[in-house]
């Protein structure tokens, strides 16, 4: 696997809601890696090369993101922006088959599916990376989003791989707790 062209880290520390109501601090950290898409420009049935990139690069990125949180990770999410010479399945191939295991390991476990998003885009394209509780997929308090972009990526033959973690849910959640598990 090639080295990423660059990595970009985004850290947010939320101390109030949008209206200024104070809350306990919540940190959210996203890491984005700009990688060369080895399958750009041609259709391929075999996406396994991208599976491997997601797994190996994901372990490194997940550890780096979790290390920057102020508390223990309780929610996570992943996304990919594929440059216009690629296709949407290539983004799915980077984030689905092998990325989950290293993300869960970095979070100290994770029973719930990791929320995800993928899209095609030009340089500067933004993506909404969904966040959800790592163990309880019905925790309404942890349904959240980070909007991410890199001004010069992805180039047509690149993919931006995005991972994010948070040490809390939304500030001052009031939508209920979700279905009760039996």
């Amino acid at each position: 696997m090639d080295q990423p062209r660059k990595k970009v880290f985004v850290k947010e520390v939320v101390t109030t809601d949008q209206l200024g109501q104070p809350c306990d601090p919540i940190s959210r950290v996203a890491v984005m890696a700009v990688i060369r898409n080895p399958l750009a420009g041609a259709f391929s049935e075999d996406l396994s090369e991208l599976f491997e990139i997601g797994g190996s690069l994901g372990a490194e990125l997940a550890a780096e993101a979790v290390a920057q949180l102020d508390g223990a990770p309780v929610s996570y999410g992943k996304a990919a922006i594929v440059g216009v010479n690629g296709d949407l399945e290539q983004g799915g191939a980077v984030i689905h088959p092998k990325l989950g295991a290293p993300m869960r390991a970095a979070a100290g476990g994770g029973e719930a599916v990791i929320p995800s998003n993928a899209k095609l885009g030009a340089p500067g394209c933004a993506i909404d990376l969904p966040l959800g509780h790592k163990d309880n997929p019905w925790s309404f308090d942890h349904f959240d989003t980070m909007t991410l972009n890199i001004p010069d990526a992805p180039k047509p033959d690149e993919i931006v791989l995005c991972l994010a973690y948070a040490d809390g849910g939304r500030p001052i959640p009031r939508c209920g707790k979700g279905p009760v598990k039996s």
Side-chain angles (χ1 to χ4, degrees):
M1 176 185 81
D2 296 341
Q3 277 293 101
R5 177 166 65 87
K6 69 160 101 178
K7 293 182 203 173
V8 175
F9 294 85
V10 175
K11 181 174 183 177
E12 301 175 346
V13 179
V14 179
T15 57
T16 73
D17 72 358
Q18 291 295 319
L19 301 174
Q21 184 68 34
C23 65
D24 291 335
I26 302 157
S27 65
R28 296 186 283 217
V29 174
V31 59
M32 298 171 280
V34 180
I35 59 173
R36 182 183 67 81
N37 181 353
L39 303 180
F43 178 84
S44 176
E45 279 289 335
D46 181 5
L47 303 177
S48 60
E49 186 174 1
L50 295 172
F51 302 166
E52 298 304 321
I53 290 171
S56 60
L57 184 57
E60 174 186 330
L61 299 177
E64 292 173 336
V66 167
Q68 292 189 36
L69 283 174
D70 294 336
V74 296
S75 62
Y76 50 26
K78 58 188 177 179
I81 308 170
V82 180
V84 296
N85 285 350
D87 75 48
L88 187 57
E89 274 308 288
Q90 294 167 349
V94 171
I95 63 175
H96 291 306
K98 295 202 174 182
L99 181 57
M103 286 189 70
R104 285 182 176 83
E111 297 294 319
V113 67
I114 302 170
S116 64
N117 193 7
K119 67 187 280 187
L120 291 177
C125 173
I127 192 160
D128 289 333
L129 183 149
L131 293 167
H133 194 281
K134 70 183 185 76
D135 295 311
N136 180 359
W138 292 104
S139 177
F140 293 171
D141 294 357
H142 294 85
F143 293 170
D144 206 351
T145 302
M146 291 183 77
T147 301
L148 304 169
N149 79 312
I150 300 176
D152 69 343
K155 292 179 181 175
D157 296 338
E158 293 179 331
I159 297 173
V160 178
L161 174 59
C162 312
L163 287 71
Y165 293 88
D167 62 10
R170 293 185 317 280
I172 316 169
R174 302 177 300 281
C175 292
K177 297 298 178 189
V180 176
K181 288 183 173 181
S182 53

